[in-house]
């Protein structure tokens, strides 16, 4: 074995060359020629051996620290995960989202059933006795109900449309976060209450506009953005149910471990909810309530939106699921 002085004398040029190659490749070995890549690997191995020797035989801590950092950088470059193209990252993320939606479809359906049950029950109760109306109309919403019963939207300027879009983009995602978080904290109780309350209020509103002869006005005004916005609310409710379900029924795992596993899917559903409610904001701000937009255009947008989301949730990434199933060993 070379002495410490011999290592310093003979290896310094190699260490500098390794450092130069590190600076040149900077996470991308494609910039190195085949000879340079072979030199990089050879120098990495040799420098690692030099470091191992000097750590036990040298009193020069400065050199040891330098080599330790150099070897660490070279190791990180050699074993760095390959960079994926941005488009591939986006596609893989979308596949993961669609797979989570399919995997957690029961929780999503539960949120939908509670919401629509709220509509049916509140509408039926108010139909049987108008006194129930106050039970389902939150304080301060009376003016909003009167607006919908009028059957007219005020024309918005561009600035007003931008302001409304920003308001919806801030308010609705916040509702999604609160719904998921409080549903987790209350072990699903708040999620049930939120889905039911929103449905019940919608049922009360529907009853009132039907009496005023403005049911078509309400439906055509809500569906362009409502498909995406209400769908986002369902995702937030489902996220809370998924995580609450892990607490109630952890299976063979501990509750902490079950919640950790469920939390991954719950997080994806919350992010999806935020994206959906934010996507709905400009449609609501500029399109849905614009009196200049004909009803047929609203129907077209709603139909395209509905079939687009259904196709994404049901079909996107299914080919990868089939491939993964074929590659997994049978038991």
């Amino acid at each position: 074995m070379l002495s410490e002085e011999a290592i310093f004398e003979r290896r310094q040029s190699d260490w500098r060359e390794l450092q130069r190659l590190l600076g040149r490749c900077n996470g991308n070995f494609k910039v190195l020629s085949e000879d340079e890549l072979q030199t990089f690997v050879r120098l990495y191995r040799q420098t690692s051996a030099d470091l191992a020797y000097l750590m036990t035989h040298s009193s020069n801590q400065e050199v040891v620290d330098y080599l330790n950092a150099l070897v660490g950088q070279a190791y990180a470059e050699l074993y760095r995960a390959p960079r994926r193209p941005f488009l591939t990252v986006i596609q893989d993320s979308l596949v993961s989202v669609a797979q989570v939606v399919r995997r957690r479809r029961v929780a999503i359906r539960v949120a939908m059933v509670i919401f629509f049950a709220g509509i049916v029950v509140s509408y039926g109760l108010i139909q049987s006795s108008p006194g129930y109306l106050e039970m389902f109309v939150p304080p301060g919403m009376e003016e909003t109900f009167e607006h919908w019963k009028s059957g007219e939207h005020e024309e918005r300027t561009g600035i007003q449309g931008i302001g409304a879009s920003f308001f919806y983009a801030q308010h609705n995602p916040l509702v999604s976060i609160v719904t998921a978080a409080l549903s987790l904290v209350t072990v699903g109780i708040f999620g049930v209450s939120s889905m039911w309350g929103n449905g019940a209020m919608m049922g009360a509103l529907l009853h009132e506009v039907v009496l005023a002869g403005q049911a078509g006005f309400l439906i055509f005004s809500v569906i362009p953005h409502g498909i995406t916005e209400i769908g986002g609310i369902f995702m937030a409710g489902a996220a809370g149910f998924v995580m609450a379900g892990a607490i109630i029924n952890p299976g063979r795992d501990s509750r902490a471990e079950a919640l950790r596993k469920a939390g991954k899917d719950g997080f994806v559903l919350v992010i999806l909810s935020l994206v959906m409610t934010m996507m709905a904001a400009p449609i609501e701000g500029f399109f849905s309530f614009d009196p200049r937009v004909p009803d047929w255009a609203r129907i077209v947008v709603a139909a395209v939106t509905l079939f687009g989301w259904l196709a994404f949730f049901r079909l996107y990434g299914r080919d990868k699921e089939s491939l993964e199933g074929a590659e997994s060993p049978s038991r």
Side-chain angles (χ1 to χ4, degrees):
M1 176 65 68
L2 295 175
S3 64
E4 178 180 342
E5 292 76 11
I7 289 178
F8 288 163
E9 182 178 349
R10 296 189 182 186
R11 301 290 193 230
Q12 286 189 56
S13 60
D14 290 340
W15 300 341
R16 286 194 293 268
E17 177 63 12
L18 179 59
Q19 188 170 17
R20 185 189 71 82
L21 292 174
L22 273 170
R24 183 154 181 258
C25 68
N26 191 26
N28 182 14
F29 280 118
K30 292 182 179 180
V31 302
L32 300 181
S33 66
E34 183 177 349
D35 290 341
E36 287 177 322
L37 183 57
Q38 291 177 353
T39 300
F40 184 99
V41 174
R42 178 180 60 80
L43 292 177
Y44 163 69
R45 291 174 176 172
Q46 183 60 62
T47 305
S48 298
D50 294 341
L51 173 63
Y53 177 79
L54 292 176
M55 286 180 68
T56 57
H57 293 80
S58 175
S59 59
N60 192 331
Q61 189 60 40
E62 184 177 348
V63 173
V64 171
D65 291 342
Y66 165 73
L67 291 182
N68 189 50
L70 185 61
V71 169
Q73 292 174 26
Y75 177 89
E77 292 293 342
L78 280 172
Y79 297 98
R80 182 195 299 266
R83 293 180 180 177
R84 295 186 297 165
F86 178 74
L87 183 58
T88 301
V89 174
I90 296 298
Q91 290 175 336
D92 290 347
S93 299
L94 292 176
V95 168
S96 296
V97 170
Q99 289 175 338
V100 168
V101 170
R102 289 193 288 271
R103 185 162 56 245
R104 299 298 183 175
R105 59 186 177 274
V106 173
I108 296 170
R109 288 170 183 169
V110 168
M112 295 174 64
V113 167
I114 296 172
F115 177 84
F116 287 112
I119 293 178
V120 172
V121 171
S122 66
Y123 188 97
L125 288 175
I126 298 170
Q127 181 75 12
S128 65
S129 175
Y132 283 109
L133 180 63
E134 295 182 1
M135 179 186 302
F136 299 112
V137 179
M141 290 294 293
E142 295 83 359
E143 185 177 345
T144 300
F145 273 53
E146 291 302 317
H147 164 73
W148 284 108
K149 289 162 64 175
S150 72
E152 295 181 356
H153 289 307
E154 293 184 3
E155 188 173 325
R156 288 173 174 171
T157 65
I159 297 298
Q160 289 174 327
I162 292 174
S165 298
F166 271 109
F167 171 77
Y168 300 138
Q170 292 176 350
H171 175 266
N172 296 340
L174 180 60
V175 171
S176 296
I177 295 174
V178 170
T179 298
L182 292 184
S183 184
L184 169 61
V185 172
T186 60
V187 198
I189 296 175
F190 183 85
V192 173
S193 174
S194 178
M195 294 299 106
W196 176 268
N198 279 286
M201 184 177 65
M202 183 61 70
L205 177 58
L206 181 61
H207 180 273
E208 293 302 288
V209 297
V210 167
L211 286 181
Q214 299 296 340
F217 171 72
L218 172 66
I219 293 172
F220 292 140
S221 297
V222 169
I223 57 174
H225 68 274
I227 296 295
T228 301
E229 181 181 301
I230 297 176
I233 293 174
F234 292 156
M235 297 303 165
F241 294 153
V242 166
M243 293 183 286
I247 297 175
I248 296 172
N249 182 24
R252 295 183 177 181
D253 295 323
S254 66
R255 281 186 167 80
E257 179 64 16
L259 183 59
R260 184 188 68 80
K261 292 178 180 178
K264 295 178 180 179
D265 285 358
F267 177 77
V268 171
L269 290 173
V270 170
I271 295 300
L272 175 59
S273 175
L274 298 181
V275 171
M276 293 180 74
T277 51
M278 285 190 287
M279 287 175 62
I283 303 175
E284 188 173 3
F286 289 99
F287 184 84
S288 296
F289 301 153
D290 190 337
R292 296 166 295 184
V293 176
D295 289 342
W296 66 263
R298 292 187 172 96
I299 294 173
V300 168
V301 169
V304 170
T305 302
L306 176 61
F307 286 113
W309 283 119
L310 288 177
F312 172 68
F313 292 145
R314 293 178 64 87
L315 303 176
Y316 197 82
R318 282 220 180 256
D319 54 338
K320 293 191 175 183
E321 288 179 353
S322 301
L323 182 60
E324 291 171 358
E327 291 178 348
S328 62
S330 60
R331 296 184 180 180

